[in-house]
Each structure stands twice: as structure tokens, then as C-alpha cells.
């Protein structure tokens, strides 16, 4: 039985006039994340972790910024495509663990539905999806509310 671990990191700038999309959920906030797709920082970190674990490259190589096909794309669609390729390479997801680093807003009210959505996408139990959030204690660019970052780790098992 083979296991593969992967990690991913992503960061996006906050800007006015965009919806804030985290884990496929539109979260009420005065700004959203800037990016070519919906800039879902959580799903981008998770996608890179999945690709890394399976040895399939990275998000940028699969979904190049500037490719009109992915303009304002729902990152759940990117994740579906990644999961298809991970499955095709012979792996299934055992579990993942995500950390959002942001000064605001609180995502606790949305945590269950984000975890449910990701569990459905990855075909795991909800307890196989960890989701945590931390502030940056007002330090640096995250602390000043200029953007958000996310870290993901994932474990794959050979089918
Ligand atoms: Mg990104």
C-alpha cells in the first residue's frame, strides 16, 4: 500500500469590488481576493497540495493565469479537474488539513459547510477535512489586512 503526502501554499491580495470566496463559499465581507479566477486561496492551496502529492506539477502549469477558460473560474471546478487527474494517476484522498491565515473575517460560521463541500468533492468523510483559521497577530501584510494566505497538507493513498 503506497501513501503520498503533499503540501500547498497560496496568497492573494484583498481588493474592493470582488466577492470573498473561501472554500467555495461566498462570505460576506467588504472586500474580496484579487486574482484571475475567483482567487479562492483555500482551494488553491489544497489544489497545489493534491498535485504535489500525486507528482502532477502545480496549479500554475495546469491552469495558467491568462487562459481565458479560467477567467473568474469557480475554483471548485479547478479542484474537480485536479481530483479527476489525481484519481486517474491511481490515488484517492485519505485526508487533508487546511489553515487560513487572515485578520478577518471569522470563518467559523462557514466552517462546517466548507468542510462538507470539500469532503463531497474529495469523496471523504467530513472528519477527513481539517479547516483551521488563525490571524497573523496584526503583523506584516496579512496583519494589515492587505491579503490572506492559506496552507494545505494532504495525504493520498494508492488505489
Ligand atoms: Mg491562487
Amino acid at each position: 500500500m503506497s501513501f503520498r503526502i503533499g503540501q500547498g501554499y497560496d496568497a492573494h491580495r484583498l481588493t474592493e469590488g470582488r466577492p470573498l470566496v473561501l472554500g467555495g463559499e461566498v462570505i460576506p465581507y467588504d472586500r474580496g481576493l484579487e486574482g484571475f479566477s475567483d482567487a479562492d486561496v483555500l482551494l488553491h492551496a489544497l489544489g497545489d497540495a493534491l498535485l504535489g502529492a500525486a507528482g502532477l506539477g502545480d496549479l500554475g502549469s495546469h491552469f495558467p493565469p491568462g487562459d481565458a477558460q479560467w477567467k473568474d473560474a469557480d475554483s471548485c471546478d479547478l479542484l474537480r479537474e485536479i481530483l479527476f487527474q489525481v484519481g486517474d494517476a491511481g490515488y484517492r484522498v485519505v485526508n487533508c488539513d487546511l489553515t487560513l491565515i487572515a485578520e478577518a473575517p471569522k470563518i467559523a460560521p462557514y466552517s462546517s459547510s466548507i468542510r462538507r463541500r470539500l469532503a463531497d468533492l474529495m469523496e471523504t468523510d467530513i472528519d477527513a477535512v481539517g479547516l483551521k483559521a488563525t490571524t497573523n497577530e496584526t503583523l506584516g501584510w496579512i496583519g494589515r489586512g492587505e491579503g490572506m494566505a492559506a496552507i494545505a497538507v494532504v495525504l493520498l493513498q494508492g488505489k
Side-chain angles (χ1 to χ4, degrees):
M1 195 177 292
S2 69
F3 290 95
R4 303 281 292 254
I5 192 168
Q7 61 90 28
Y9 169 85
D10 195 30
H12 282 269
R13 181 184 296 275
L14 279 160
T15 187
E16 288 178 2
R18 296 258 304 179
L20 177 62
V21 185
L22 293 171
E25 194 95 1
V26 178
I27 293 175
Y29 195 50
D30 61 350
R31 289 169 298 159
L33 295 171
E34 190 175 280
F36 190 71
S37 66
D38 63 6
D40 191 327
V41 70
L42 268 180
L43 295 194
H44 292 183
L46 176 58
D48 254 348
L50 287 161
L51 290 169
L56 291 171
D58 64 14
L59 212 64
S61 61
H62 288 263
F63 311 103
D67 182 340
Q69 186 184 353
W70 305 111
K71 174 105 178 80
D72 295 323
D74 178 346
S75 291
C76 289
D77 291 337
L78 274 58
L79 201 64
R80 274 187 203 94
E81 174 60 27
I82 290 167
L83 286 163
F84 176 79
Q85 293 189 28
V86 166
D88 210 39
Y91 297 103
R92 68 172 191 86
V93 177
V94 177
N95 75 307
C96 72
D97 192 20
L98 313 176
T99 303
L100 177 73
I101 309 155
E103 287 306 303
K106 297 286 181 215
I107 61 156
Y110 311 97
S111 178
S112 300
S113 73
I114 292 172
R115 290 174 63 220
R116 177 79 267 158
R117 177 181 297 104
L118 298 186
D120 289 346
L121 282 166
M122 294 188 295
E123 299 177 351
T124 67
D125 292 334
I126 191 167
D127 64 5
V129 181
L131 175 59
K132 309 176 308 293
T134 183
T135 71
N136 216 35
E137 294 288 341
T138 74
L139 294 164
W141 60 270
I142 296 175
R144 290 189 296 272
E146 293 170 15
M148 297 181 179
I151 299 167
V153 292
V154 64
L155 186 68
L156 302 181
Q157 182 179 10
K159 290 194 277 199

